[in-house]
Amino acid sequence: MSIQELRCERQEGIALVRLNRPEKLNALSRTLIKALQDLFKQLNEEKSLRAIILTGEGPAFCAGTDLNEIAGLDVEQAIAASRRGQELCNAIENSRIPVIAAVNGIAAGGGCEVALACHIRFASAEATFSLPEIKLGIIPGYGGTQRLAREIGAGRALEIILSGRSLDAHEANQVGLVNRVCENDALLSEAAALGNEIAQLAPLAIRAALESVVRGLEMPLEQGLELETNLFAKLFASNDMREGTRAFLEKRKPVFNGT
């Protein structure tokens, strides 16, 4: 894959990842899916990173899967394609570093599913969200049927999936699909501001909070509470916990080092 199709910039603990196929509305080719998955693996190994922002170049966040690659698939190939997309979305959702989607335009099909896998979603006023696969005679295959229902409830999710209709940014905000709607020219700055806010906090606690929420949602409440207790208790062995409590008592800003 040409490196121009995926760009990554790092600055002050934040990685800005851009899908860069604007001529294809940042559609997900097989090679782009693999490259993006590999990049997330690499970013999660970088100890200096505190937040990841994912966005698209041009007028779209991501228009979904490149249809030229899936139109002629047989059943076995379709299984493999679905699993590739799900593995990418799982890698995003299971990231130890918070992932903020800055949805700058169209987020359709696989692109909407990628956004759903991110921990937090900001949308520009021009953003749209859809899972239109039903219009092609198929269903979402990268986790959309599962994540959308968990995010906004089964009834609302089914209305969107069964109709294939598109939601504008404000409707997406109303149903809880996005956290915030931003002015178009302020989208990245607002996402970066949140990333910087997170970057000032204790990395171990951030990771524990992500794990507790993401894994806990898949568990019965009793097991989720046990997971929370264990993660909570482990942090009491960290230098960051001692620094945080001392700084609070001394009325100063804490300096966390991730240990």
Side-chain angles (χ1 to χ4, degrees), residues 122-136:
F122 286 4
S124 75
E126 294 182 352
T128 60
F129 298 82
S130 64
L131 292 173
E133 288 88 348
I134 204 81
K135 297 179 179 179
L136 302 176

Side-chain angles (χ1 to χ4, degrees), residues 23-154:
E23 74 286 354
K24 296 288 188 180
L25 299 179
N26 300 319
L28 294 168
S29 65
R30 179 172 179 173
T31 50
L32 182 53
I33 288 173
K34 180 64 164 59
L36 191 54
Q37 185 176 350
D38 289 345
L39 177 60
F40 267 89
K41 181 180 179 181
Q42 176 186 331
L43 293 176
N44 271 266
E45 294 172 353
E46 297 184 18
K47 295 183 179 179
S48 63
L49 282 183
R50 297 290 181 263
I52 300 170
I53 298 171
L54 178 61
T55 193
E57 190 66 45
F61 174 75
C62 175
T65 306
D66 193 328
L67 290 182
N68 290 322
E69 293 194 3
I70 66 169
L73 299 183
D74 61 26
V75 171
E76 292 302 316
Q77 291 168 331
I79 290 172
S82 175
R83 286 177 175 163
R84 279 194 298 271
Q86 289 181 1
E87 286 170 3
L88 168 61
C89 290
N90 289 343
I92 295 171
E93 184 177 63
N94 294 322
S95 170
R96 299 168 68 229
I97 302 168
V99 183
I100 304 167
V103 182
N104 54 301
I106 298 166
C112 185
E113 292 172 290
V114 166
L116 282 166
C118 297
H119 303 120
I120 297 166
R121 290 171 291 279
F122 286 4
S124 75
E126 294 182 352
T128 60
F129 298 82
S130 64
L131 292 173
E133 288 88 348
I134 204 81
K135 297 179 179 179
L136 302 176
I138 55 176
I139 64 171
Y142 294 177
T145 63
Q146 304 306 302
R147 288 191 176 92
L148 186 62
R150 285 166 168 77
E151 198 69 35
I152 67 173

Side-chain angles (χ1 to χ4, degrees), residues 52 72 152 170 177-178 180 182 187:
I52 300 170
I152 67 173
H170 295 287
L177 181 52
V178 300
R180 187 185 307 180
C182 311
L187 176 64

Side-chain angles (χ1 to χ4, degrees), residues 9-16 48-52 192 195-200:
E9 308 161 20
R10 299 165 178 79
Q11 185 174 7
E12 297 180 353
I14 298 176
L16 175 60
S48 63
L49 282 183
R50 297 290 181 263
I52 300 170
N196 284 319
E197 185 177 344
I198 292 170
Q200 304 306 310

